[in-house]
Amino acid sequence: MIGRWSKPPVEDTEHPRGFDDFELKLGDIMRGERATIGKSLLDVQRELKIKATYIAAIENADPSVFETQGFIAGYVRSYARYLDLDPDWAFARFCQESGFAVAHGMSPQASTKRSGPARTAQKSTVSDPFANPNASFVPRGQSFLSRIEPGALGSSAVLFALLGVIGYGGWTVLQEIQKVKLAPVDQAPGVISEVAPLGGDQMVVAGMDESVSLATPSAEALDRLYRPQALDVPVLVPRDGPIASLDPREVGALAGESAAADRESILNDMSNLIADAALSGSEDSPVQVTAGDAPQLALVAVLPSWVRVQAADGSVIFEKILDAGERYVVPAMEQPPVLRTGNGGGVYFAVNGQAYGPVGSSGEVVKNVALSVADVSDGYGPVDLAANDSVAEMFRVAQNAE
C-alpha cells in the first residue's frame, strides 16, 4: 500500500488542564529511547542504512521529507523495532500525528507525480538541518593527501636512496668481476690442432708454417739442466808429469855432470813444453776448473711396479709401469726429483753399478723418496748381488737392455 499525506484534523474543543496534563508525542518518545541507548542520528543511519534526514522526519512526524511515500511505513516500523517499540503502535501514532494515511495502489492519491507548484511549496517548507549536505556537523571524507605525513615522505626517500645505492654498488661489483683483462704479448700463442703421440718427437701447431716444428725435450736436454759445481782453485795436472819428475842429473846421459848452464837450459825447455800443452785446446787439457760429473742414478724394477718421478716444482718427468728387468735413468737436476711407487719391494736403485734397496716392502706404496745419490746412499743399504741371484739376474737383464 502506498500512503498519502494529508493535514491532521484540528481539534477546536478545549478543556481545562492540570500541571501534569500534557501531550507526549511519538517524536518525544523516540528521542528519549534513542538518548537512553546513547545513539545519535548518524549512528542510527550507519546501523539501519536509513538517512539521518528520514530518521529526523519520523521523529518530527513530517512525511513531506520522504521522496517516496511508499517507504514511510517500512522506515517507521524499522526504526521502532530498533528502539524496542511496537512497530504497529508506532506507525499508528505516526499516522495520527502527521495525518499520513495509507492509500490503495490504484487510487489517484497513490500517484507519485506531483504538480510543479506543490513540489516547490514542499521544498520551500523543508527546514530540517539534516537535509543540507553541507551542514557543519556532517563528517567530511578525508582526501588522499591529508593521510600522508611529511615525516613519512622523508623516511621513504631515504629508504629508496639507500636501496638505489646498494643496487648500484652490487651491479658495479658484478661488472668488475666479469671483466676480462687481456695483457699484450709479443707473439700470440698458437693453438695445437693435433696432439702428437707419446713416442713422437714433433707436434703440429695451427697457424704456423709446416716447415717449423716444435721438438719435445729429450733426455740429453734434461741432463743439461745439471750444472757441475765450480772449484775454488783449478786443479792443474801436467800432461808430461812423469817426464817432468825425472831429474837429468840422476837419469840419462847427463847424469853425474854439474854444468849449471846445461841443467837450466833443459829445465827451461821442459817448462816451455808444459806451458804450450796448457795453452793448447786439445781434449787432454791438463787444466780442470770444474768438478767431475755426478754419479749416475737409475731405477731398476725386479718386479712389475708403477713409478712416477716428479720434479721439485711438481711437474711429472716420468710415469710408467716398469716391467721386471726394465731400467730408468734419473736425470741430473739442480734439485733432486721425488719418487712415488706402488710396489716398494720391486724397485731397486743402481748407483754406478752398485745396487741399493729395495725402496720398501712388497706391495707397499712409497712416496716422497728423494732421488739423489747422497740420499739413496745414506737411506738404503747396498745389496750383495752375489747372494741374491734373482736381483742380480734382473740387474743383468736391465744392463743388457741398454
Side-chain angles (χ1 to χ4, degrees), residues 23 28 36 56 186 249 266 275 338 356-357 379 392:
E23 183 180 2
D28 298 333
T36 302
D186 297 337
R249 293 172 297 179
I266 293 173
V338 179
Y356 291 88

Side-chain angles (χ1 to χ4, degrees), residues 37-52:
I37 62 178
K39 300 292 183 178
S40 64
L41 293 177
L42 297 179
D43 296 336
V44 178
Q45 173 181 336
R46 193 163 42 250
E47 296 178 6
L48 286 182
K49 308 301 180 183
I50 300 175
K51 293 182 179 180

Side-chain angles (χ1 to χ4, degrees), residues 44-327:
V44 178
Q45 173 181 336
R46 193 163 42 250
E47 296 178 6
L48 286 182
K49 308 301 180 183
I50 300 175
K51 293 182 179 180
T53 55
Y54 292 168
I55 300 299
I58 293 173
E59 293 180 352
N60 296 331
D62 185 6
S64 62
V65 178
F66 296 93
E67 297 180 359
T68 305
Q69 301 281 323
F71 295 155
I72 294 178
Y75 289 159
V76 174
R77 287 187 172 90
S78 298
Y79 186 41
R81 281 191 292 269
Y82 178 77
L83 299 176
D84 291 336
L85 298 177
D86 187 5
D88 296 334
W89 173 83
F91 180 67
R93 287 292 301 273
F94 177 81
C95 293
Q96 180 181 358
E97 295 179 2
S98 63
F100 179 76
V102 179
H104 192 272
M106 301 301 295
S107 61
Q109 293 81 0
S111 177
T112 57
K113 295 183 180 180
R114 299 181 183 179
S115 60
R119 295 176 61 185
T120 305
Q122 289 182 1
K123 290 183 180 180
S124 61
T125 57
V126 175
S127 61
D128 189 4
F130 292 98
N132 186 10
N134 297 323
S136 60
F137 58 86
V138 177
R140 299 291 191 275
Q142 296 182 354
S143 62
F144 176 76
L145 298 178
S146 63
R147 290 177 290 178
I148 299 177
E149 298 182 1
L153 294 177
S155 301
S156 300
V158 171
L159 178 60
F160 286 126
L162 182 60
L163 292 178
V165 170
I166 294 176
Y168 178 75
W171 179 80
T172 305
V173 172
L174 182 60
Q175 294 296 325
E176 188 67 22
I177 292 175
Q178 294 180 348
K179 186 181 296 183
V180 178
K181 296 182 179 179
L182 301 177
V185 294
D186 297 337
Q187 183 179 2
V191 181
I192 297 178
S193 59
E194 296 181 2
V195 179
L198 297 178
D201 294 336
Q202 296 181 353
M203 60 178 67
V204 180
V205 179
M208 296 181 62
D209 190 1
E210 295 181 356
S211 61
V212 180
S213 60
L214 299 178
T216 58
S218 59
E220 291 78 6
L222 295 177
D223 291 340
R224 288 197 299 271
L225 295 177
Y226 172 75
R227 289 177 289 182
Q229 184 179 3
L231 298 177
D232 297 335
V233 179
V235 179
L236 299 178
V237 179
R239 185 182 59 178
D240 298 332
I243 299 176
S245 61
L246 297 178
D247 190 357
R249 293 172 297 179
E250 299 178 356
V251 179
L254 300 178
E257 295 185 1
S258 59
D262 295 338
R263 291 198 300 269
E264 291 178 359
S265 62
I266 293 173
L267 292 176
N268 290 334
D269 294 339
M270 295 179 65
S271 298
N272 293 334
L273 292 176
I274 294 174
D276 294 338
L279 294 176
S280 63
S282 61
E283 296 180 356
D284 298 332
S285 176
V287 181
Q288 181 180 355
V289 296
T290 60
D293 295 336
Q296 188 184 56
L297 176 63
L299 301 177
V300 179
V302 298
L303 294 174
S305 304
W306 170 81
V307 295
R308 181 172 65 189
V309 180
Q310 289 181 304
D313 58 354
S315 60
V316 178
I317 300 175
F318 178 78
E319 184 175 4
K320 184 184 178 182
I321 298 178
L322 296 178
D323 295 331
E326 193 170 357
R327 186 169 179 264

